[in-house]
Every structure is written in structure tokens, then in C-alpha cells.
Amino acid sequence: MSLRSRIASETAIVLATLAAGLAVGAAVAAGFHAPPLRVMATMLTSWRSLPDVVAEYSAMLALTGAAFAVPVYAGLFNIGAEGSFQLGALVALWAALKWGGLAAPIALGVAAGALLSGLAGWLRVRLSVNEVLSTIMLNWIVYWLLLYLVATKLEDPYNPQRTLEVPRSSRLPWITIGSTQIPSTIVIAAAVLAVLWVFLRMTRWGLALRFAGANEWTSRTRGVNVGLYRVASMAVAGLLAGLAGAIHILGYSHAIDVIGGAVKGFGYNGIGVALMGRNDPLAIIPAAVLFATLLTGSSLVEPIYGVPKEAGDFIVGVIVVLLAVPEAFRLLSRLRRR
Amino acid sequence: MEPVVELRGIVKVYPDGVRALDGVSLRLYPGRVHAVLGENGAGKTTLMRILYGEIKPTRGELLLDGRPARFRGTRDAIRRGIAMIYQHPRLVPTLTVWENVLLYFASAGVPEGEAEERLEEARRITGFDVPLDARVEDLPLGARQRAEILRSIAAGARVLILDEPTTNLTPQEFEGLARAIEGAKREGLAVAYITHRLPEVKAIADLVTVLRRGRVVASELDPRGASEEELARLMVGELPPRPSRSRGGPGDRVVLSIEGLRARGRMEVFVERLEVREGEVLGLAGVEGNGQEELVGAIVGYTPRLSGRVVVLGRVNPTPREYYRAGAAYIPGDRSKALVLHFSVAENLAFLRYAHEGPALLTFSRLARLYREVAGEYGIVAESPWAPAGSLSGGNQQKLLAASQLHMRPRFLLAVNPTRGLDVATTRYVRGLIARLADEGAGVMLVSSDLDEIIELSDRVAVISRGRITGILPAGKATPERIGLLMGGAA
Amino acid sequence: MTPLEAAIVGVLGLNAMVTIALTAMGEVIAERSGVVNIGLEGILLASAWLAVYADIATGSWLAGYLAGLAMGAALGLMHAAIAVYARGDQIIAGVGLNLAAAGGTTLGIRAVWGNYGQSPPVASRPPAFDVLGVRVSYMVPLTFLVAILAWWLLERTEWGLRVKAVGDDPRSADALGISVERTRLAATVLGAALAGVAGAYMSIDYLGSFVKLMSAGRGFIALAAVAFSGWDVLGALLGSIVFGLGDALSTYYTTIRGSSAAAYPYRTIPYILTLLAVSATAWRARMPRALGRPYKRE
């Protein structure tokens, strides 16, 4: 199969999956006695009414998507972007309140995320602890600690529903395009993903990382330290998710609410984004924009049509299940040719 | 005589469009050994897997006792008395022999109460004895094969298919196998004997059918009436000339030396002393699984060395990275394990060439340049540098693997089974590359389970058995018989 | 903690064990055949939801349990179809199942009960007995019985031998005349059905209602119990008892501190305990050799 026909078939798979996901969404809307086509249309055009939200979600999902994708190249499944994201946000908030400025909050947020995922990578390589398990456990641990700190040490005494706000000196600027304003996090995310793409596709270390994931044996015989690459891939993943959490708090939400709503779900939805983007850092960007549009749109349809916003999560889940079965798609296309 | 089984006009086209069989017919008679002769890729194994119900033919029919039969899976074939002994044993390694036998008997419909009695009878017929309580993975490959034959005959097989059965046997073990086949013949079993080795055909077969590229080129010949040369020509067609070595003799410089090396992988190996000089090919002969893997890993440095010294081009006990940086190269024995088949040809090439040392930036144009250079020099045929390595033919994959190493211009090359599974023309080409490298002054260690290959290329032959070097012979004295005795562990 | 309180925590631990143990033992069976189901969390949620729905609709707890079982088996069938027949990626399919179930059951609460967080209490709760004033479900002793049955099935029957054969070496199993696909299908469905029963237990029996995302990682803790056990049913039961105690301890401390934020750190106990237990034991585990790998004849 040539490169071009491979790209064509991957694209076809992704589009078919998307169509199936949207059909499920329409069915859910119908189940809630809402007009399916109008509900889906509202969902898919959410960028018109909420451009800043869609931009911010796109940036976050692109980074957490990359946090899932990078370890996949090394042969690992990182479900821990959720925890790294939340820890990055929490640490950045704390550092911003303590010292202000941008350097310390971002650096510490990134480092915290990298350490958390790196720990899961290390447990896998040194102690054979399955990384899916360890990252899920770490997610839950971070989640409860976050809720604890939000409601105690970081609480805003005048507004007990949330934390203190990030000081002015620690906020990332917004960008004005015509009459709309969007957060600058989208620029950071795009730049990071471009660098990542070059690293994976065009450097010797990127090649070694991909071989380490695809074929441990041959990598070892060529002197590639597979364990090191695996831990590093997890640390990089944590770095990406931690960065996302940090710039989310500094550039967009500025505070965390007592149920953690401001920082929830980005990591888990990033998995779907990475799968839809076929783990390619550049293809992840449009996938992130699409998921951001859908998820923003699902909160938009709730007040209008009475379809709960969880419909968005459900659609994402269905899309992920379907993306697990490329073989099934190939089977179908072969049957059709016959 | 009426055949037990008849395959008629079998055509098999794989989903990727490869035409493995093109109208092949074959009859198996009771009490006769029918050899199916052909080189690698001729379609022998595919034909037998169709007979065993493992894969379905695209066209053609299967007659059992003269009546059409259809198998939906191996279980149907087993029930109808067809037994397959694969080239590499297919027993579940984590279960005991007895548990494997029970599962097979269940498929064959043998009541558990008769199991003991039937096994006893099969022992009498074959002369084989296997420890039933042993875990399969603790047994050597030869014993696993004997267990498979034993349980097949005990289950009441009428047709016994042996696919390249001597691959994992010493020449001495072959005699035991021949006696078991005699026993099976006396019981009236029809035996299909798949091989590409001519002496075995002459020694064992009553009939021979020759396959070439998925077609029958000679049917039901009497092997006693045909010479080995005739059979060889039928099997391979016209051939390029054999590679010749100038045999200028080894130089003075030692490129590999091993002293008191102990290493452990799946088994432990110990090598007191072994040397390779520049301009020399040292062959390492032995039955698969006698410590070759461990020794090779300990030389390159990816299998832990417990004690002793390996010196490669002056580097003492190198790590893999140091091994390649010193100017040594390594062609592993299993290309599907050494390549990543879903990565592109160019990426595989670049990784194998540069993983230890190379440019930091590997842009697309640089990869394409490397590919053009190498593909031109070694005649690799690929659709494009960006096609997946798995889309190449086996021969081109092997050339890719070899080319990535020869491109380093190594002064020492370690090559393991470099021509396994290749057709004769590509085999000769690859052997020619190795011979040329040695003639140009590099030292080569050739690890191979193919005795012909060892004898053809080596200046000296070392033999390994159960993790020990059992002897080192100069080229003149390295006859198959001598090597065979050493392979069996005789000193 | 007084001795009496400790004993009560122990009893609470046995109640909490049931969900983890049934799920983990089912997963041992599935994984011995070579199929990983990361979607257990999703199966727990979906079957818990359906069990409450069925219980309230029919007024019968037995219908609730059967509904949970059916949901588990159906999702197992779906997972097997993807993993075994379509040869899809088992981990990704499971992750997707978890995401879909989390979204789907929350939608389900809204659709059926019209609010955001939980169902009303079930109409009929299964019978139970009291130990130290704590309600103990009959599912507790039943779980031990299931453990013995599952052990017998895997270690003493020909079917168990077949399951292990396809999980360790599917190519050889195929050559022995065993259908790799059908054996894996059966093991996966059986395993998921047990998780379905566990989900039903969690909602209609253990808690008495369905609460949004109530499984809270228990599906993954069950996966941890599988790894902890070295792929052995009785080991998985032991692991589940330990993890159930962690769950009970967390509940105990949370309760005595009221539901204030000060209790939140205690919520991490089950997860920390699980992570530590698996870290201490994972290195020695003997995984089924073909775990997670689809089988395809070349």
C-alpha cells in the first residue's frame, strides 16, 4: 500500500467514525425529544457563539491529546493526563499566589506534571506495574488532594465556592482578532505540537523512541535504552499535560471551583483526541478543535433544547470505541469490493 | 492403490494477492511416504495447511476415501484422522505434555479412559518415549516433536503430515524419526513428508512430487529412479553461479576473541576460547536452541555476560552501542523480529544504520538519499522508500537487513541464519555478499543451522551443543558427518 | 479505633470486597484466555444503572440482578466482538467503553429520573443479615462460593485447560483443534457477566440507589487485584479483601469527620493502597503470554 493510499484509508476511517458518533448524538437528542438535526448543528457551530471557549478547549485537548500520543510511540498507554493536568494547574495556582509572575508557576506546574507521569513510567519499567493502573490510581489521588486543597488552603475567604484568583502579574495575555478575543494558550499549544512533530518524525531520538515502542528486542540489540525512553516518554507526557494545566489556570480559568469543574475531563477527552488524530501531533490539532467544538456545543444545547451536556461525553466515548476497530473498517471495505 | 486423501486442483490466493498455489494436485496412499519437494516459497506448507483445515483453498477440492470433504477448521481434520507435525512444534509451552495430549484427544474424540492404552500402543509403533509430566517448555525441540508424533498416532491418525521435520534435529535424531516413520507405514498410515533436502527424499520417500512457485513440476516420481541433480534442477530451475571465496587465508589481526565467557539467557552458555581473524569466516554450526542465541547476545552485548571476556575490535566487553561504534555489525537471525514491518523501508534502514551513532536530524530527504544509495548497491526492490517494510518480499527484507549493516563497512560481521527462508537465487546473492566482505579483509562469524551454508562459506567451523563448543574443525575436515556428531554432543 | 470499630470496619470491608472480587475474578478468567478488558469500570456503571432501573420498574431485586448480569454479558459480547473477531485494540476499546458508560449513565439518570446526580432509592433491596449492627448482603458468602467455582472451572476442567491454552499460545491451541475465537468469546462474556453482577450488587444491594460515577475507580482496582493475584482466582479474592478493607477504612474516616473537606485526604486510601500493593508484587507476576494480542492465522 502506498503512503498516499494509507493516508486516504486512515482519513476515511476517522471520518466514518466521526459520522457514526454524530449519528449517535442525533439519536440521543431524539431520545430527549429535541430536534436532532438542529441540536447537532448547534453543537457543531459552537465556535460562532463561544469562540474563546472553543479556542481554549482546543489548546487544552491538543496538549492532553499529545500527552496520550507520545507514550504510545514508546508502547505505553498513559491514562494519567487527567492527573498531570490537575496537578499542573494546582501547582501553578499555588506558585502564582505565592510568587506571582509567569516563570515560576509555569515551570513548577510543568515539573509537577512530568514528575507524576514519570513516576508511573518508572514504576512500569522498574517494577512492571501496568501504567494504565498506576496512572488511574494517581488520577484519583490527585483529584481528592486537589479538592481538599481547593476547599482548605487555597480557599477564597470571600467566596468559599472557589479558590483565590491568580494575580494579574501571572496571567497570560489574550489575543484580539477583529472583534473577538481568544486566549493565547492556543498559540503555545500549536507551537509545542509542531516542535513535537519535528522531534518524532525528523530526529534520531524520535526514530529511536518509535522503535523502542514498536520493537523492544531490536532496539535493545542496537543499543537503545528502552527503559529510559519509556520513562522519558511518560515524563514528556506529564510535561505536556502539566503545561496544559498550568496555562489553563494562568491564561483562562484563573481559579478552581470546589468541585474541580474548571479542571475536570481534559485529560480523559484528550485520549479520544489523540486516537482521532491517529497519534500524529499535527493531525491532533484539527481533532482537538473538533472535540472542543463538540464539548462546548453540548453545554450550549442544554439550556436551549434540554439535552444534557453529558451527551458530548457519550459521543466521545462512542467515537473512541469505534476507533479501536480499524480492522473492522478494513474488513467492511474489503467486503464491499467483492 | 486407492489414495486415502486426494487434493485436486488446489488454488490459493492470499488476501494480499499473492498466488501461493496454482492448481496443485496430490494423492497420499496408505503405507506410503509421499515426499513433497520444493524450495522455500514453493507453496508446500500452504498446501499442507489446507489439508489440515487451517486455511481454506480459494479453489479446488479435497477428497477423503474418494468422497469430497470440507474442513471448517483443524478440529474437523483431526476428527477425520489427519495429523500435522509442524516445522516448529505446536504444543502449548506452559502446559504439560499430558495436558496437551488431553486437549488433542478431546479434539480427536478419543475418550479419556482409552488415553493410556492408546499412548502405549503408539509408543510401540514409533519407538518414542516422552515424559508426560514435563512442562513442554522444559523439553528440547526434538522431544517436543516426538511428543507430537506420538499423540497423533495414539489419536488414531490415518494421515501424518511432517513439515520439514529435520529442521530442529541432529543427523542422529533423524534416524529415530526414520524408524518411527517405518513403524507408521507398517500400520498403514499415509505419510506426507515436506522437505527441500534431497538426501532425505532419497532415504525415506516411496514417491516424490516436486513443487515450484505454486505449481507441480513433477508428480509421483520414484525417488530411486531420479538422481539428486535431476531433482535439484526440477526444484529450483536455472541458477546463478555459486559464490566463490578467494580463501586468501586469514590475516594476523584478531577481530573477535572470546575467553572464558559465561552468559545466560534462556539457557547458559560457556565458551572457553574462540577467535575470529580478519579475512576469515568462522562458521558456528548447531541445532537451533543450543545456546546460539545466548552466545550472539553476549557478543553484541544485549545478553548479560556473567563472567569472562569478549573483545570486539579491541573493545573489551562492549555494550551494544560500543559494539557498533567499534566498527562491528550484526545481522540477526529473524528478520521479522529485527525489522518493524509496519514502519517504512527508509525508517527501518535509518534505524538499523544509525541507532548507535549518526546525524541528529534525519529529514525526509536524508532518509530518501540513504535509501537510494543502499537500494542501488544491493538491488533492493521496493515500491518506494516510504512503503512499509512488510510490503517487501522476504528476500528484499533480508537484503534490507543485510544492506543496513554492510553499509557501515564493518570490520567484523556477526550474521545469524542470513539466508533462512530465501529462494535459491537470493540465497546465493546474500552468501556472495558475505564472502566478498571476508575477501575484502573483514572477519565474519556465521551462525547458521544450515550445514550446507556453513560448509560453503567457512574457513573454520565451530560446533555448539547444549551451550558448549564441542569442537572446531578446519574447512577441509568439516564434513556433514563430523559436524553432525559434534552437534549431537559427541566430543 | 476501638476493637469494636475495627471489627465493624472489617465487616464493611467484606461488603466492599464483593464488587471488586466478582469483577476481578471474572477478569482473571477473561485474561487467562488472552483478552484484557480495561472497560470493567464502564461495565460496573452501566450494569449498576440498569439494575436500579429494572429494580424500580419491576419492584423485584432479582430482576435488578438479572438486568445487571445481562448488561455485563452484552457489553462483554461487544468487547469480544471488537477484541476477538474484529481484532481491534483491546485497551482502546476498553477506554472508550469507560468514557461512553460514564457519559451514558449520567444521561440515563437525567432521562429516567429527571435529575443530575442520582436515582431514587430502589424499590426492592435484596435480603441481608446483620453482623455487629451492619447490614451484610448474602452476596458476601456467595462471593466465596463463586471463587471456589471459578477456581474449579479454570484448574480442574477441560474448558479451563482450553482457556489457558488460547491465552498462552493461541497458534498451538489452534493446531490442537481448539477454536481460539470461540474460547476467548466465552471467557470474555463470562468475565464481563460477573462484572455485571458486581455492578448490580454495588447499586441495588450495597448502596440502594444509583449515584453518578459511583464506581469511583473500582473497576480499575479490580484490574489491580488481577495483577496482584498473578492471574489466579483465589489470589484475586485475597487482593479484593485487602482492597475492600482499604475502601472501608476510607469510608470510616470520612464518616467520622462528617462530609467536610477535611475528610478528603482519607478518600485517597484505596488508591494509595492499591498502587502500593501492585508495586510490591507486580514484578513477580506471570502474565498470560498472549495477553492483549489478537490472534490471526497468517
Side-chain angles (χ1 to χ4, degrees), chain B residues 371-382 393 395-396 399-400 403 426 429 433:
Chain B
Y371 169 78
R372 276 199 305 276
E373 224 175 281
V374 169
E377 189 175 347
Y378 297 98
I380 295 167
V381 183
S393 68
N396 277 302
K399 283 188 199 168
L400 178 70
T426 317
Y429 179 75
L433 291 177

Side-chain angles (χ1 to χ4, degrees), chain B residues 39-40 235-236 238-240 422-431:
Chain B
E39 67 162 317
N40 289 305
M235 181 166 79
V236 297
E238 289 309 310
L239 283 181
L422 302 185
D423 60 41
V424 174
T426 317
T427 297
R428 292 210 169 163
Y429 179 75
V430 172
R431 287 182 190 169

Side-chain angles (χ1 to χ4, degrees), chain A residues 94-336:
Chain A
W94 171 77
L97 291 173
K98 195 162 168 88
W99 294 298
L102 283 170
I106 293 182
L108 289 175
V110 165
L115 275 176
L116 188 74
S117 284
L119 170 66
W122 183 83
L123 284 172
R124 162 67 194 257
V125 168
R126 290 314 293 272
L127 300 175
S128 311
V129 176
N130 182 294
E131 72 281 3
V132 174
L133 280 181
S134 60
T135 50
I136 289 271
M137 295 303 132
L138 291 172
N139 286 348
W140 281 100
I141 293 168
V142 168
Y143 177 70
W144 284 112
L145 289 179
L146 175 108
L147 290 195
Y148 171 70
L149 290 172
V150 165
T152 54
K153 305 266 189 295
L154 299 173
E155 190 188 36
D156 182 348
Y158 300 103
N159 185 353
Q161 287 307 301
R162 42 179 263 178
T163 62
L164 293 162
E165 280 205 348
V166 168
R168 298 253 162 241
S169 73
S170 297
R171 294 188 184 184
L172 289 167
W174 281 46
I175 304 165
T176 311
I177 304 169
S179 59
T180 55
Q181 284 205 317
I182 56 168
S184 56
T185 50
I186 186 100
V187 180
I188 299 175
V192 168
L193 264 74
V195 170
L196 198 60
W197 187 85
V198 171
F199 172 80
L200 284 169
R201 291 282 156 194
M202 289 197 178
T203 68
R204 191 152 63 86
W205 301 283
L207 190 66
L209 174 73
R210 291 189 290 130
F211 269 80
N215 188 332
E216 186 175 347
W217 185 84
T218 205
S219 301
R220 279 198 301 117
T221 67
R222 299 289 148 184
V224 172
N225 187 338
V226 175
L228 187 67
Y229 270 95
R230 290 204 159 147
V231 176
S233 77
M234 285 296 283
V236 168
L239 180 155
L240 293 166
L243 173 69
I247 61 180
H248 183 62
I249 203 90
L250 302 176
Y252 185 80
S253 78
H254 304 318
I256 305 174
D257 49 296
V258 284
I259 57 164
V263 290
K264 240 198 279 196
F266 292 105
Y268 290 126
N269 284 319
I271 299 170
V273 168
L275 292 173
M276 189 138 220
R278 285 304 192 228
N279 291 327
D280 181 286
L282 292 187
I284 279 175
I285 296 176
V289 173
L290 180 80
F291 272 49
T293 307
L294 261 177
L295 292 170
T296 308
S298 63
S299 60
L300 215 53
V301 297
E302 179 148 13
I304 309 176
Y305 299 104
V307 179
K309 70 177 188 339
E310 280 78 11
D313 299 332
F314 186 58
I315 295 173
V316 169
V318 169
I319 288 177
V320 172
V321 171
L322 292 174
L323 283 172
V325 280
E327 188 87 4
F329 285 98
R330 267 173 227 132
L331 225 63
L332 276 178
S333 66
R334 211 178 297 144
L335 285 179
R336 231 179 299 124

